[in-house]
Amino acid sequence: MPEVAAADVERVFRAEHGRAVAVLARVFGDLDIAEEAVQEAFAEAVRRWPAAGRPAAPAGWIITTARNRAIDRLRREASRADRHAQAALLHARDEPVEEGPVRDERLRLIFTCCHPALAAPARVALTLRLLGGLTTAEIARAFLVPEPTMAQRVVRAKAKIRDAGIPYRVPDEADLPDRLPGVLAVVYLIFTEGHTASAGERLVRADLCAEAIRLGRVLAELMPDEPEVLGLLALMLLSESRRATRTTRGGDLVLLADQDRGRWDRALVAEGQDLVRRCLRRNQPGPYQVQAAIAAVHSDAPAAADTDWRQIVALYDQLLAIEPTPVVALNRAVAVAEVEGPEAALALVDALALDRFHRFHAVRADLLRRLGRDDDARDAYEAALARTDNAAERRFLLGRRDALG
């Protein structure tokens, strides 16, 4: 297969995998059948597109091919008195047009995967696997757990849906708020993987960022009175506004302090800040709203030196009270370094149990470097390098390490 064709199929996979799985899940009422059928369709695309050319509507081709392959396989299995296959065929034949409060296919499947019968980590992991286009390894990195552990979570979640008979259906209006935290976590993790990819040559995966923001906008239209929905959308927009300045033309990482703020997307900044103000008026703070407020403080500063770090530390204090996680504490320590100095921040960082997280070691290395502890900083950079597979981050860390001499 020519290299260009392989890249083309990969782009379609990243862009359309989630929607194809969502459509097929509705058609067959079964997540396993849907995912397997879509995988088979993409495998067929790899075989056929190089010779036949890319179809005019690649997403439609994938969905149609997946549906036909699944029906053929189910017919063979149904002829052997497989009741599960017979039920899936019946579901596919009826294909009812389902109306309800959530009409976006991918968002409907997110709400389905976030059923309360599933444990919270399993809900998020399964949805990222089916809809986010993320590999099991990428999801494992996002959760800071080993890949086999994450693979088991995904398998168990799908088995739970099958064995408990959880239907693929639109949740009732009354069910939406209870499932919202898991849905927001999924959307944010899709954005996070796009904002800083866990692996690959590029720092950013713009396709995932765009999909997460699209889902965030759909959620905001669906639930305009939920402040955390608005907070998440604001956080993503303010973060996305800086994308053009986060890397050089050659793809090298540029720190926030060194970015050309004149090139930030002012339309996204204005929209994000407006959403933050709407959240503040509601006075119902949640973790996404506080993170959005932190991003808004950064966007207010015309230059890095003008950043109100004391306000950012105060917001991190509030966030830590709401969401007392080691990652939040690490981010707070970065802000503390700007207010109280690197020594105070290092004491906070050294108290955290985040050895698997490459950014923990990168932050620690920078603080040690600023304190003149070059040998310790070099070791910390090595630890960070051993824990990231993103080429842009690796080049940055290598440059910092080598600059120590």
Side-chain angles (χ1 to χ4, degrees):
M1 179 177 181
E3 185 177 346
V4 173
D8 201 24
V9 176
E10 172 69 15
R11 281 193 295 272
V12 174
F13 179 86
R14 291 293 190 186
E16 302 296 343
H17 177 269
R19 184 160 74 95
V21 171
V23 170
L24 270 292
R26 174 175 58 79
V27 169
F28 295 103
D30 186 286
L31 291 176
D32 271 328
I33 292 173
E35 187 178 20
E36 289 171 9
V38 171
Q39 294 288 353
E40 288 181 11
F42 275 107
E44 184 68 12
V46 169
R47 288 191 293 269
R48 292 178 56 180
W49 288 9
R54 172 175 160 160
W61 188 97
I62 290 294
I63 290 170
T64 300
T65 301
R67 183 181 184 278
N68 292 340
R69 288 297 182 89
I71 286 176
D72 288 345
R73 180 161 55 85
L74 288 170
R75 281 174 177 160
R76 291 194 300 270
E77 294 173 359
S79 66
R80 297 195 297 269
D82 186 322
R83 293 183 180 180
H84 182 68
Q86 291 170 358
L89 271 176
L90 183 63
H91 197 287
R93 201 160 42 239
D94 292 342
E95 289 191 44
V97 178
E98 190 175 12
E99 294 296 332
V102 185
R103 291 182 175 85
D104 181 272
E105 288 285 0
R106 283 169 283 198
L107 199 57
R108 293 200 311 178
L109 185 51
I110 289 177
F111 273 102
T112 300
C113 290
C114 292
H115 194 280
L118 300 175
R123 298 177 206 169
V124 178
L126 178 63
T127 315
L128 288 172
R129 179 74 189 91
L130 295 177
L131 276 159
L134 297 166
T135 66
T136 303
E138 289 169 340
I139 302 169
R141 291 190 192 98
F143 277 84
L144 306 179
V145 299
E147 184 176 346
T149 300
M150 185 53 62
Q152 288 178 352
R153 284 186 190 175
V154 172
V155 169
R156 288 171 183 165
K158 290 167 73 174
K160 177 75 172 181
I161 289 176
R162 181 186 64 246
D163 297 342
I166 296 172
Y168 173 83
R169 68 172 183 83
V170 176
D172 297 328
E173 200 84 51
D175 294 333
L176 295 180
D178 287 342
R179 301 198 196 175
L180 184 60
V183 172
L184 294 180
V186 166
V187 174
Y188 187 45
L189 278 172
I190 293 173
F191 181 82
T192 300
E193 177 62 27
H195 185 262
T196 305
S198 58
E201 289 298 315
R202 294 173 297 170
L203 180 71
V204 176
R205 285 176 55 181
D207 57 335
L208 291 183
C209 291
E211 175 64 5
I213 290 173
R214 188 192 72 80
L215 291 171
R217 292 191 186 281
V218 173
L219 273 173
E221 291 176 8
L222 175 70
M223 309 176 80
D225 295 326
E226 287 286 345
E228 277 292 82
V229 172
L230 301 183
L232 174 58
L233 180 57
L235 173 60
M236 293 190 296
L237 293 175
L238 290 168
S239 301
E240 178 70 3
S241 71
R242 305 193 294 264
R243 176 159 60 90
T245 66
R246 293 182 60 230
T247 56
T248 66
R249 289 182 181 274
D252 291 332
L253 185 152
V254 179
L255 293 177
L256 177 62
D258 300 324
Q259 291 172 14
D260 179 0
R261 299 183 179 220
R263 294 176 55 219
W264 285 1
D265 188 323
R266 304 317 300 182
L268 291 181
V269 169
E271 185 180 1
Q273 288 182 335
D274 180 64
L275 288 169
V276 170
R277 286 191 289 269
R278 286 171 60 184
C279 291
L280 289 173
R281 287 195 293 269
R282 293 174 185 270
N283 196 27
Q284 297 175 332
Y288 295 112
Q289 296 172 75
V290 178
Q291 290 178 77
I294 293 169
V297 174
H298 282 296
S299 68
D300 277 335
D306 301 320
T307 305
D308 189 346
W309 286 106
R310 292 189 182 278
Q311 185 180 359
I312 290 176
V313 170
L315 287 167
Y316 270 120
D317 288 340
Q318 185 178 10
L319 180 59
L320 200 57
I322 299 171
E323 197 172 66
T325 68
V327 174
V328 172
L330 177 66
N331 292 331
R332 178 183 177 276
V334 173
V336 167
E338 301 301 320
V339 176
E340 301 179 24
E343 189 168 358
L346 183 62
L348 297 173
V349 170
D350 282 343
L352 301 175
L354 283 171
D355 184 67
R356 294 182 60 86
F357 189 26
H358 81 277
R359 189 164 177 270
F360 163 78
H361 295 283
V363 167
R364 194 167 174 275
D366 185 63
L367 295 173
L368 290 164
R369 179 187 62 82
R370 290 162 65 179
L371 289 168
R373 295 169 55 183
D374 289 0
D375 289 342
D376 292 335
R378 190 177 297 106
D379 291 342
Y381 280 125
E382 290 287 355
L385 281 163
R387 290 162 175 79
T388 181
D389 293 320
N390 182 280
E393 287 190 318
R394 290 185 62 81
R395 287 195 301 272
F396 175 81
L397 294 168
L398 282 167
R400 283 296 177 95
R401 183 203 65 183
D402 293 346
L404 294 172

